[in-house]
Amino acid sequence: MKLLKARVLVLLVGLFVPLAVQAAAKATELKFVLYFPQVPPYMYQDKESELVVGLVPEVLQDFFSQQNIQVQYVADNRTRAEHSLYQGDVDAILLAKEWTQHPDKLVFSEPLLEHKDFLFSRQPMATAGQLADWVKGKAICTRQYYVYQALEPFFQTNDTARVDSSSELTQLTMLLNGRCDFAFMNEHVANWLLHHHFPEQQLYRSASGFNPVGLTVAFHPRWKPQMAAFNRYLREQQQQGVIAQWLKFYVTKS
């Protein structure tokens, strides 16, 4: 009888150990916002595969895998996404600290990379000069609701006309159709659009860029314990040139 009890105990232990391992291995879920309108080459949904692709998913997927974190992408617009992050309904969004209403309520990663805004034109631009001289009396295609620190003084004095659009694609389309004199755009997004949507069009950009911004991931504060490891991972990816390689791949990918 004692031997039988021992065998039963061994069997029970054998059954519970795999269950305990499975419980311990269960992935933590993270809801990451996919903006709409989407922002290639950073993050967008591939039309054929319907997978979320781009620089950001490629760079971050190894870290999330290492940490046993399962990412669920949630589509939303920029304004609602920020509010949802404050409420804790989502876990992370692609967002620079200076663009937020309440930066003290979020946790920000170190920058993945930096980008600048440039003026894009149908005509060659002077290699030297001041922004005030370029935009005075001109119309500039912009994104609706965006705040452009470099241009706001000229918009406020009515020296420059602001022509809003719903997306960066619409900005360039309006520029090419003569609706404005310049489009003011993120350099990486503009390069992606020119390569994928307007490969036969020739556009020129200003010699210098404006509004340098670090592309960061904003997390809900409950993810603060993971930030040291996450930032360390980002630094490694930068030093190894991985981020620059993915950026080049997605900008030029056909």
Side-chain angles (χ1 to χ4, degrees):
M1 182 63 70
K2 290 182 179 180
L3 180 59
L4 180 59
K5 288 183 178 179
R7 287 179 177 175
V8 172
L9 181 60
V10 170
L11 288 173
L12 290 174
V13 172
L15 288 172
F16 282 118
V17 168
L19 292 175
V21 171
Q22 290 176 9
K26 185 178 180 181
T28 302
E29 293 186 354
L30 182 147
K31 292 182 180 179
F32 203 119
V33 173
L34 173 67
Y35 284 140
F36 183 83
Q38 299 178 35
V39 283
Y42 300 141
M43 289 179 66
Y44 61 103
Q45 189 172 32
D46 182 77
K47 291 183 179 180
E48 295 182 1
S49 67
E50 296 187 350
L51 296 174
V52 177
V53 297
L55 163 70
V56 174
E58 295 287 3
V59 171
L60 302 188
Q61 67 176 352
D62 284 344
F63 175 80
F64 290 139
S65 178
Q66 293 169 13
Q67 300 293 318
N68 199 23
I69 296 172
Q70 183 177 356
V71 180
Q72 177 186 354
Y73 289 103
V74 181
D76 207 344
N77 66 40
R78 161 72 177 78
T79 303
R80 282 198 304 263
E82 184 177 343
H83 179 73
S84 296
L85 189 59
Y86 294 135
Q87 298 299 318
D89 297 330
V90 296
D91 299 291
I93 60 178
L94 200 62
L95 185 64
K97 189 173 184 177
E98 50 265 58
W99 296 343
T100 58
Q101 294 181 353
H102 307 288
D104 57 311
K105 295 183 179 180
L106 303 176
V107 179
F108 295 86
S109 74
E110 294 182 4
L112 283 76
L113 77 165
E114 184 183 89
H115 64 79
K116 296 179 180 179
D117 291 328
F118 285 81
L119 285 169
F120 289 85
S121 171
R122 299 184 304 277
Q123 305 296 329
M125 300 180 62
T127 56
Q130 299 294 322
L131 180 61
D133 299 327
W134 293 334
V135 302
K136 186 174 183 179
K138 304 295 184 181
I140 302 181
C141 284
T142 53
R143 271 293 304 272
Q144 191 176 22
Y145 306 123
Y146 276 31
V147 176
Y148 300 96
Q149 294 178 351
L151 298 177
E152 284 305 313
F154 312 112
F155 293 148
Q156 292 174 5
T157 59
N158 295 320
D159 287 338
T160 304
R162 175 170 182 156
V163 184
D164 278 343
S165 60
S166 59
S167 68
E168 284 84 354
L169 175 59
T170 307
Q171 276 184 265
L172 285 189
T173 301
M174 292 169 65
L175 173 64
L176 291 168
N177 290 338
R179 294 279 304 280
C180 52
D181 301 291
F182 300 110
F184 197 70
M185 294 182 60
N186 174 314
E187 57 185 310
H188 304 314
V189 176
N191 289 340
W192 188 92
L193 288 170
L194 289 170
H195 186 88
H196 291 267
H197 289 273
F198 308 103
E200 298 180 359
Q201 297 288 343
Q202 177 68 60
L203 288 180
Y204 304 88
R205 78 176 195 180
S206 54
S208 58
F210 310 91
N211 301 338
V213 174
L215 187 67
T216 61
V217 179
F219 289 89
H220 186 273
R222 61 174 166 262
W223 291 91
K224 189 174 182 178
Q226 283 79 21
M227 293 309 300
F230 185 66
N231 287 330
R232 185 164 57 249
Y233 171 82
L234 290 181
R235 289 192 294 270
E236 292 172 353
Q237 297 296 294
Q238 291 170 338
Q239 293 167 1
Q240 296 170 8
V242 174
I243 294 177
Q245 290 173 3
W246 279 122
L247 177 62
K248 181 178 179 181
F249 173 80
Y250 274 100
V251 166
T252 61
K253 179 183 177 184
S254 59

